[in-house]
Amino acid sequence: MHLRKSMLLFVLPLSMSAFAKMQALPKTAPAPKDNPMTKEKIELGKMLFFDPRLSKDGTISCNSCHNVMFHGGDGRPVGVGVHGQRGGRGSPTVWNSAFNSTQFWDGRAATLEDQAKGPLINDVEMGMGTHEFVIDRLKQIPGYVSAFKKAFPKDKDFITIDTMAKAIASYERTLITPNSPFDKYIQGNKKAMSPQAVKGMKLVEEIGCTSCHSGVNFSGEEKMGVGNFQPFPQIPGSKYDKLYDLLSDPGRYEVTKKVEDKNHWRVPTWRNVAINAPYFHNGKVVTLDEAVRVMAKTQLDMDLNDTQVQDIVAFLNALTGEFPVQTMPRLPNTANTTVTPEK
Amino acid sequence: MHLRKSMLLFVLPLSMSAFAKMQALPKTAPAPKDNPMTKEKIELGKMLFFDPRLSKDGTISCNSCHNVMFHGGDGRPVGVGVHGQRGGRGSPTVWNSAFNSTQFWDGRAATLEDQAKGPLINDVEMGMGTHEFVIDRLKQIPGYVSAFKKAFPKDKDFITIDTMAKAIASYERTLITPNSPFDKYIQGNKKAMSPQAVKGMKLVEEIGCTSCHSGVNFSGEEKMGVGNFQPFPQIPGSKYDKLYDLLSDPGRYEVTKKVEDKNHWRVPTWRNVAINAPYFHNGKVVTLDEAVRVMAKTQLDMDLNDTQVQDIVAFLNALTGEFPVQTMPRLPNTANTTVTPEK
């Protein structure tokens, strides 16, 4: 089954038809009908995103692992939560996450709204126990009460886990990195990418990488809400399975408990991938050239030569976009007391 | 000795002479001669301040405990470093720290430059082991190499622990919160403070609080570089010693090993104190009114009544300043690799 899928890629005609479909990153992201973007929601979402009081002991904010000032991840193999606890997987970047097909490595959240609710009550992440505890704490902070009221003026119950998730998702939808060399190239500036990067761009089409890494975010956002899942490794048995421990985490199987989902993963974005090491769900691969070699071997059964690897790396580097300057939020205070007195 | 000091306060004439000396917060902070402020140093310092790669495992930045978006502290009893380790003392606010008489609770650093070097190599804070390790890591990040070169163009060896500390200190000297109600009041707007806050302001003078909490930062910055140290408790024996564990940490004694420095502490600022709970070196006191009661009893042997406490609390609330809007730094990347691959 795995082998057959892989072979299919090689019988595809090596035309430029798929290449012609490559698109620049939009400057705005789609929002769900029930959560249109507003300035008030975005501002509130930014406050919440940066507030470590959303963790039990006041040490971890969303930004701790999804660092907006950095590349949107944390540069570490796996996320780190309260009490220094290590998670099992790396922190996906929040930049351009609005264009992901689903959220989390295993796609267990269909939307950014759903995603935002998870880490809060995960014991090894923010450790808040229950969503009620989260909301109770927010209600103790007068600045949040007023900010929620402004952001959700029509909601009678305006501070809930759902309004909170909507605000965070609204902020996250503003995190877009346009104007990469690739974007400029595809929009007509043929000098924006180096000849080597252009070679790499053609190569990823020819050998089949973009059959999964498709769409504006190179992650298959045409399957948004459904999920663009693929086996990794597609072709088990290479030296990399053991070298980088590729098989021990069953991935999407954890969510569905279906055998056919074992070691399936949501296809991650290529946007800013060059600055977002280490690589893969477990962060075991430190450099981009090695990640390219691993993917070619495990997904396409190809041993790339050094020139091919470097061409693809050059292309992936051309996908590093512009990170817009942001102002820092001001986290609302609690006068004369604290909401995180204890461990 | 302790009692004599305390009694002295009570024989001071209760004139308004000290009160007349109260001053508004300056809008710029003094910088040492060998570290004049420049735009380039401030920008570099901001990047460094927010960069978790300054900790061993990439989880803790200066901002983790001294949160600029918050009140400059972390809202927790004690600081939390790498691997979830708890420090022994609370995190002093970085806002207006340029006006402190010395740095750290025990004053073990005379300047912000000296302070910046400490937590990096403290095992329970950022855990970097040695300053050499810090500098080696920074040199692997091209954006830092160029930013240091710009900030220190005359230094042959431009990336050192000293230039790094200078940059961080330069950024910290920009963190000033002017225009509190008190500042407006003292500059002539007599409506800026409530009558209750004015009563509180007079009371802290009359009973002697401002003999230690003096100067523009209410922390004795006239003793800058020397240190404004005081015993706490000044008068041991109250119920608070045990209730809030006031005696187990010997404070400045840890630095000097002199018996007379036991339980002596650097006088902390009152600026933004109302929003910077929990209180004291160990963060054991959660509310400001209780902190006022404890100080009156342990330092002045006074049992304040509720009205007095509330008047003082009102005054301290009038010391919450304006936090200027800041832009987020962009943390320089390492293309195609990471500098924090391991735990």
CSV table of all heavy atoms in Angstrom, one decimal, chain B residues 158-202:
chain,number,residue,atom,x,y,z
B,158,PHE,N,33.7,42.7,19.8
B,158,PHE,CA,32.4,43.3,20.0
B,158,PHE,C,31.3,42.4,20.6
B,158,PHE,O,30.3,42.9,21.1
B,158,PHE,CB,31.9,44.0,18.8
B,158,PHE,CG,31.9,43.1,17.5
B,158,PHE,CD1,30.7,42.3,17.3
B,158,PHE,CD2,32.9,43.1,16.6
B,158,PHE,CE1,30.7,41.5,16.2
B,158,PHE,CE2,32.9,42.3,15.5
B,158,PHE,CZ,31.8,41.5,15.3
B,159,ILE,N,31.5,41.1,20.6
B,159,ILE,CA,30.5,40.2,21.3
B,159,ILE,C,31.2,39.6,22.5
B,159,ILE,O,31.9,38.6,22.4
B,159,ILE,CB,30.0,39.1,20.4
B,159,ILE,CG1,29.5,39.6,19.1
B,159,ILE,CG2,28.9,38.3,21.1
B,159,ILE,CD1,28.9,38.5,18.2
B,160,THR,N,31.0,40.3,23.7
B,160,THR,CA,31.5,39.8,24.9
B,160,THR,C,30.4,39.8,26.0
B,160,THR,O,29.4,40.4,25.7
B,160,THR,CB,32.7,40.6,25.4
B,160,THR,OG1,32.2,41.9,25.8
B,160,THR,CG2,33.8,40.8,24.3
B,161,ILE,N,30.7,39.2,27.1
B,161,ILE,CA,29.7,39.3,28.2
B,161,ILE,C,29.5,40.8,28.6
B,161,ILE,O,28.4,41.2,29.0
B,161,ILE,CB,30.0,38.4,29.3
B,161,ILE,CG1,28.8,38.2,30.3
B,161,ILE,CG2,31.2,38.9,30.1
B,161,ILE,CD1,27.7,37.5,29.7
B,162,ASP,N,30.5,41.6,28.5
B,162,ASP,CA,30.4,43.0,28.8
B,162,ASP,C,29.5,43.8,27.8
B,162,ASP,O,28.7,44.6,28.2
B,162,ASP,CB,31.8,43.6,29.0
B,162,ASP,CG,32.5,43.1,30.3
B,162,ASP,OD1,31.8,42.9,31.3
B,162,ASP,OD2,33.7,42.8,30.2
B,163,THR,N,29.8,43.6,26.6
B,163,THR,CA,29.0,44.3,25.6
B,163,THR,C,27.5,43.9,25.7
B,163,THR,O,26.6,44.6,25.5
B,163,THR,CB,29.5,44.2,24.1
B,163,THR,OG1,29.6,42.8,23.8
B,163,THR,CG2,30.8,44.9,24.0
B,164,MET,N,27.3,42.6,25.9
B,164,MET,CA,26.0,42.0,26.0
B,164,MET,C,25.3,42.7,27.2
B,164,MET,O,24.1,43.1,27.1
B,164,MET,CB,26.1,40.5,26.3
B,164,MET,CG,24.7,39.9,26.4
B,164,MET,SD,24.9,38.2,26.8
B,164,MET,CE,23.2,37.9,27.1
B,165,ALA,N,25.9,42.8,28.3
B,165,ALA,CA,25.3,43.4,29.5
B,165,ALA,C,25.1,44.8,29.3
B,165,ALA,O,24.0,45.4,29.7
B,165,ALA,CB,26.3,43.2,30.7
B,166,LYS,N,26.0,45.5,28.6
B,166,LYS,CA,25.7,46.9,28.3
B,166,LYS,C,24.5,47.1,27.4
B,166,LYS,O,23.7,48.1,27.6
B,166,LYS,CB,27.0,47.5,27.6
B,166,LYS,CG,28.1,47.8,28.5
B,166,LYS,CD,29.3,48.4,27.7
B,166,LYS,CE,30.4,48.8,28.7
B,166,LYS,NZ,31.6,49.4,27.9
B,167,ALA,N,24.3,46.3,26.5
B,167,ALA,CA,23.1,46.4,25.6
B,167,ALA,C,21.8,46.1,26.4
B,167,ALA,O,20.9,46.9,26.3
B,167,ALA,CB,23.2,45.4,24.4
B,168,ILE,N,21.8,45.1,27.2
B,168,ILE,CA,20.6,44.8,28.0
B,168,ILE,C,20.3,45.9,29.0
B,168,ILE,O,19.2,46.4,29.1
B,168,ILE,CB,20.8,43.5,28.8
B,168,ILE,CG1,20.8,42.3,27.8
B,168,ILE,CG2,19.7,43.3,29.8
B,168,ILE,CD1,21.1,40.9,28.4
B,169,ALA,N,21.4,46.5,29.6
B,169,ALA,CA,21.2,47.6,30.5
B,169,ALA,C,20.7,48.8,29.8
B,169,ALA,O,19.8,49.5,30.3
B,169,ALA,CB,22.5,47.9,31.3
B,170,SER,N,21.1,49.0,28.6
B,170,SER,CA,20.7,50.2,27.8
B,170,SER,C,19.2,50.1,27.6
B,170,SER,O,18.4,51.1,27.7
B,170,SER,CB,21.4,50.3,26.5
B,170,SER,OG,22.8,50.6,26.8
B,171,TYR,N,18.8,48.9,27.2
B,171,TYR,CA,17.3,48.7,26.9
B,171,TYR,C,16.5,48.9,28.2
B,171,TYR,O,15.5,49.6,28.3
B,171,TYR,CB,17.0,47.3,26.4
B,171,TYR,CG,15.6,46.9,26.4
B,171,TYR,CD1,14.7,47.7,25.7
B,171,TYR,CD2,15.1,45.8,27.1
B,171,TYR,CE1,13.3,47.4,25.7
B,171,TYR,CE2,13.7,45.5,27.1
B,171,TYR,CZ,12.9,46.3,26.4
B,171,TYR,OH,11.5,46.0,26.4
B,172,GLU,N,17.0,48.3,29.3
B,172,GLU,CA,16.3,48.4,30.6
B,172,GLU,C,16.2,49.9,31.0
B,172,GLU,O,15.2,50.3,31.7
B,172,GLU,CB,17.0,47.6,31.7
B,172,GLU,CG,16.9,46.1,31.4
B,172,GLU,CD,17.7,45.2,32.3
B,172,GLU,OE1,18.8,45.7,32.8
B,172,GLU,OE2,17.3,44.1,32.6
B,173,ARG,N,17.2,50.7,30.7
B,173,ARG,CA,17.1,52.1,31.1
B,173,ARG,C,16.0,52.9,30.4
B,173,ARG,O,15.6,54.0,30.7
B,173,ARG,CB,18.4,52.8,30.9
B,173,ARG,CG,19.5,52.4,31.9
B,173,ARG,CD,20.7,53.2,32.0
B,173,ARG,NE,21.5,52.7,33.1
B,173,ARG,CZ,22.5,51.8,32.9
B,173,ARG,NH1,22.9,51.5,31.7
B,173,ARG,NH2,23.2,51.3,33.9
B,174,THR,N,15.4,52.3,29.3
B,174,THR,CA,14.3,52.9,28.6
B,174,THR,C,13.0,52.6,29.3
B,174,THR,O,11.9,53.1,28.9
B,174,THR,CB,14.2,52.5,27.1
B,174,THR,OG1,13.8,51.1,27.1
B,174,THR,CG2,15.5,52.7,26.4
B,175,LEU,N,13.0,51.6,30.2
B,175,LEU,CA,11.7,51.1,30.8
B,175,LEU,C,11.3,52.0,32.0
B,175,LEU,O,11.7,51.7,33.1
B,175,LEU,CB,11.9,49.6,31.2
B,175,LEU,CG,12.2,48.7,30.0
B,175,LEU,CD1,12.5,47.3,30.5
B,175,LEU,CD2,11.1,48.7,29.0
B,176,ILE,N,10.6,53.0,31.7
B,176,ILE,CA,10.3,54.0,32.7
B,176,ILE,C,8.8,54.3,32.6
B,176,ILE,O,8.2,54.4,31.5
B,176,ILE,CB,11.0,55.3,32.4
B,176,ILE,CG1,12.6,55.1,32.5
B,176,ILE,CG2,10.6,56.4,33.4
B,176,ILE,CD1,13.4,56.3,32.1
B,177,THR,N,8.1,54.4,33.7
B,177,THR,CA,6.6,54.6,33.7
B,177,THR,C,6.3,55.9,34.3
B,177,THR,O,6.0,56.0,35.5
B,177,THR,CB,5.9,53.5,34.5
B,177,THR,OG1,6.3,53.5,35.9
B,177,THR,CG2,6.2,52.1,33.9
B,178,PRO,N,6.3,57.0,33.5
B,178,PRO,CA,6.0,58.3,34.1
B,178,PRO,C,4.5,58.5,34.2
B,178,PRO,O,3.7,57.6,34.0
B,178,PRO,CB,6.6,59.2,33.0
B,178,PRO,CG,6.4,58.4,31.7
B,178,PRO,CD,6.5,57.0,32.1
B,179,ASN,N,4.2,59.7,34.6
B,179,ASN,CA,2.8,60.2,34.6
B,179,ASN,C,1.8,59.4,35.5
B,179,ASN,O,0.6,59.3,35.1
B,179,ASN,CB,2.2,60.3,33.2
B,179,ASN,CG,3.1,61.1,32.2
B,179,ASN,OD1,3.7,62.1,32.7
B,179,ASN,ND2,3.2,60.7,31.0
B,180,SER,N,2.3,58.9,36.6
B,180,SER,CA,1.3,58.3,37.5
B,180,SER,C,0.5,59.5,38.1
B,180,SER,O,0.9,60.7,38.0
B,180,SER,CB,2.1,57.7,38.7
B,180,SER,OG,2.8,58.6,39.5
B,181,PRO,N,-0.6,59.2,38.7
B,181,PRO,CA,-1.4,60.2,39.4
B,181,PRO,C,-0.5,61.0,40.4
B,181,PRO,O,-0.6,62.3,40.4
B,181,PRO,CB,-2.5,59.5,40.1
B,181,PRO,CG,-2.7,58.3,39.2
B,181,PRO,CD,-1.4,57.9,38.7
B,182,PHE,N,0.4,60.4,41.1
B,182,PHE,CA,1.3,61.1,42.0
B,182,PHE,C,2.2,62.0,41.3
B,182,PHE,O,2.4,63.2,41.7
B,182,PHE,CB,2.1,60.1,42.8
B,182,PHE,CG,3.3,60.7,43.4
B,182,PHE,CD1,3.2,61.4,44.6
B,182,PHE,CD2,4.6,60.6,42.8
B,182,PHE,CE1,4.4,62.1,45.1
B,182,PHE,CE2,5.7,61.2,43.3
B,182,PHE,CZ,5.6,62.0,44.5
B,183,ASP,N,2.7,61.6,40.1
B,183,ASP,CA,3.6,62.5,39.4
B,183,ASP,C,2.9,63.7,38.9
B,183,ASP,O,3.4,64.8,39.0
B,183,ASP,CB,4.2,61.7,38.2
B,183,ASP,CG,5.2,60.6,38.6
B,183,ASP,OD1,6.1,60.9,39.4
B,183,ASP,OD2,5.0,59.5,38.1
B,184,LYS,N,1.7,63.5,38.4
B,184,LYS,CA,0.9,64.7,38.0
B,184,LYS,C,0.6,65.6,39.2
B,184,LYS,O,0.7,66.8,39.1
B,184,LYS,CB,-0.4,64.2,37.3
B,184,LYS,CG,-0.2,63.5,36.0
B,184,LYS,CD,-1.5,62.9,35.5
B,184,LYS,CE,-1.2,62.1,34.2
B,184,LYS,NZ,-2.4,61.2,33.8
B,185,TYR,N,0.3,65.0,40.3
B,185,TYR,CA,0.0,65.8,41.5
B,185,TYR,C,1.2,66.6,41.9
B,185,TYR,O,1.1,67.8,42.2
B,185,TYR,CB,-0.4,64.8,42.6
B,185,TYR,CG,-0.8,65.5,43.9
B,185,TYR,CD1,-2.1,65.9,44.3
B,185,TYR,CD2,0.2,65.7,44.9
B,185,TYR,CE1,-2.4,66.5,45.5
B,185,TYR,CE2,0.0,66.3,46.1
B,185,TYR,CZ,-1.3,66.7,46.4
B,185,TYR,OH,-1.6,67.3,47.6
B,186,ILE,N,2.3,66.0,42.0
B,186,ILE,CA,3.5,66.6,42.5
B,186,ILE,C,4.0,67.7,41.6
B,186,ILE,O,4.7,68.6,41.9
B,186,ILE,CB,4.6,65.6,42.8
B,186,ILE,CG1,5.5,66.1,44.0
B,186,ILE,CG2,5.5,65.2,41.6
B,186,ILE,CD1,4.9,65.9,45.3
B,187,GLN,N,3.6,67.6,40.3
B,187,GLN,CA,3.9,68.6,39.3
B,187,GLN,C,2.9,69.7,39.2
B,187,GLN,O,3.0,70.6,38.3
B,187,GLN,CB,4.1,67.9,37.9
B,187,GLN,CG,5.4,67.1,37.9
B,187,GLN,CD,5.5,66.2,36.6
B,187,GLN,OE1,4.5,65.7,36.2
B,187,GLN,NE2,6.7,66.1,36.1
B,188,GLY,N,1.9,69.6,40.1
B,188,GLY,CA,1.0,70.8,40.2
B,188,GLY,C,-0.5,70.5,40.0
B,188,GLY,O,-1.3,71.3,40.3
B,189,ASN,N,-0.8,69.3,39.4
B,189,ASN,CA,-2.3,69.0,39.2
B,189,ASN,C,-2.8,68.4,40.5
B,189,ASN,O,-2.8,67.2,40.7
B,189,ASN,CB,-2.4,68.1,38.0
B,189,ASN,CG,-3.8,67.6,37.8
B,189,ASN,OD1,-4.7,68.0,38.5
B,189,ASN,ND2,-4.1,66.8,36.8
B,190,LYS,N,-3.4,69.2,41.3
B,190,LYS,CA,-3.8,68.8,42.6
B,190,LYS,C,-5.1,67.9,42.6
B,190,LYS,O,-5.5,67.3,43.6
B,190,LYS,CB,-4.1,70.0,43.5
B,190,LYS,CG,-2.8,70.8,43.8
B,190,LYS,CD,-1.7,70.0,44.5
B,190,LYS,CE,-0.4,70.7,44.5
B,190,LYS,NZ,0.8,69.9,44.8
B,191,LYS,N,-5.7,67.8,41.4
B,191,LYS,CA,-6.8,66.9,41.2
B,191,LYS,C,-6.4,65.5,40.8
B,191,LYS,O,-7.2,64.6,40.6
B,191,LYS,CB,-7.8,67.4,40.2
B,191,LYS,CG,-8.5,68.7,40.8
B,191,LYS,CD,-9.5,69.2,39.8
B,191,LYS,CE,-10.3,70.4,40.4
B,191,LYS,NZ,-11.0,71.2,39.3
B,192,ALA,N,-5.1,65.3,40.5
B,192,ALA,CA,-4.7,64.0,39.9
B,192,ALA,C,-4.8,62.9,40.9
B,192,ALA,O,-4.9,61.7,40.6
B,192,ALA,CB,-3.2,64.2,39.4
B,193,MET,N,-4.6,63.2,42.2
B,193,MET,CA,-4.8,62.2,43.3
B,193,MET,C,-6.1,62.4,44.0
B,193,MET,O,-6.5,63.5,44.3
B,193,MET,CB,-3.6,62.2,44.2
B,193,MET,CG,-2.3,61.6,43.7
B,193,MET,SD,-1.2,60.9,44.9
B,193,MET,CE,-0.8,62.3,45.9
B,194,SER,N,-6.7,61.3,44.5
B,194,SER,CA,-7.9,61.4,45.3
B,194,SER,C,-7.5,61.9,46.7
B,194,SER,O,-6.3,61.8,47.1
B,194,SER,CB,-8.5,60.0,45.5
B,194,SER,OG,-7.6,59.2,46.3
B,195,PRO,N,-8.5,62.5,47.4
B,195,PRO,CA,-8.2,63.0,48.7
B,195,PRO,C,-7.7,61.9,49.6
B,195,PRO,O,-6.8,62.1,50.4
B,195,PRO,CB,-9.6,63.5,49.2
B,195,PRO,CG,-10.3,63.8,48.0
B,195,PRO,CD,-9.8,62.9,46.9
B,196,GLN,N,-8.2,60.7,49.4
B,196,GLN,CA,-7.7,59.5,50.2
B,196,GLN,C,-6.2,59.3,49.9
B,196,GLN,O,-5.4,59.0,50.8
B,196,GLN,CB,-8.5,58.3,49.9
B,196,GLN,CG,-8.2,57.1,50.8
B,196,GLN,CD,-9.0,55.9,50.5
B,196,GLN,OE1,-9.4,55.7,49.4
B,196,GLN,NE2,-9.2,55.0,51.5
B,197,ALA,N,-5.8,59.3,48.6
B,197,ALA,CA,-4.4,59.1,48.3
B,197,ALA,C,-3.5,60.2,48.9
B,197,ALA,O,-2.4,59.9,49.3
B,197,ALA,CB,-4.3,59.0,46.8
B,198,VAL,N,-4.0,61.4,48.9
B,198,VAL,CA,-3.3,62.5,49.5
B,198,VAL,C,-3.1,62.3,51.0
B,198,VAL,O,-2.0,62.5,51.5
B,198,VAL,CB,-4.0,63.9,49.2
B,198,VAL,CG1,-3.2,65.0,50.0
B,198,VAL,CG2,-4.0,64.2,47.7
B,199,LYS,N,-4.1,61.8,51.6
B,199,LYS,CA,-4.0,61.5,53.1
B,199,LYS,C,-2.9,60.4,53.2
B,199,LYS,O,-2.1,60.5,54.1
B,199,LYS,CB,-5.4,60.9,53.6
B,199,LYS,CG,-6.3,62.0,54.1
B,199,LYS,CD,-7.6,61.4,54.6
B,199,LYS,CE,-7.5,60.5,55.8
B,199,LYS,NZ,-8.8,59.8,56.1
B,200,GLY,N,-3.0,59.4,52.4
B,200,GLY,CA,-2.0,58.3,52.4
B,200,GLY,C,-0.6,58.9,52.2
B,200,GLY,O,0.4,58.4,52.9
B,201,MET,N,-0.4,59.8,51.3
B,201,MET,CA,0.9,60.4,51.0
B,201,MET,C,1.4,61.1,52.3
B,201,MET,O,2.6,60.9,52.6
B,201,MET,CB,0.8,61.3,49.8
B,201,MET,CG,2.1,62.0,49.5
B,201,MET,SD,2.0,63.1,48.1
B,201,MET,CE,1.0,64.4,48.8
B,202,LYS,N,0.6,61.8,52.9
B,202,LYS,CA,1.0,62.5,54.1
B,202,LYS,C,1.4,61.5,55.2
B,202,LYS,O,2.3,61.7,56.0
B,202,LYS,CB,-0.1,63.5,54.6
B,202,LYS,CG,-0.2,64.7,53.6
B,202,LYS,CD,-1.3,65.6,54.0
B,202,LYS,CE,-1.4,66.7,52.9
B,202,LYS,NZ,-2.7,67.5,53.1
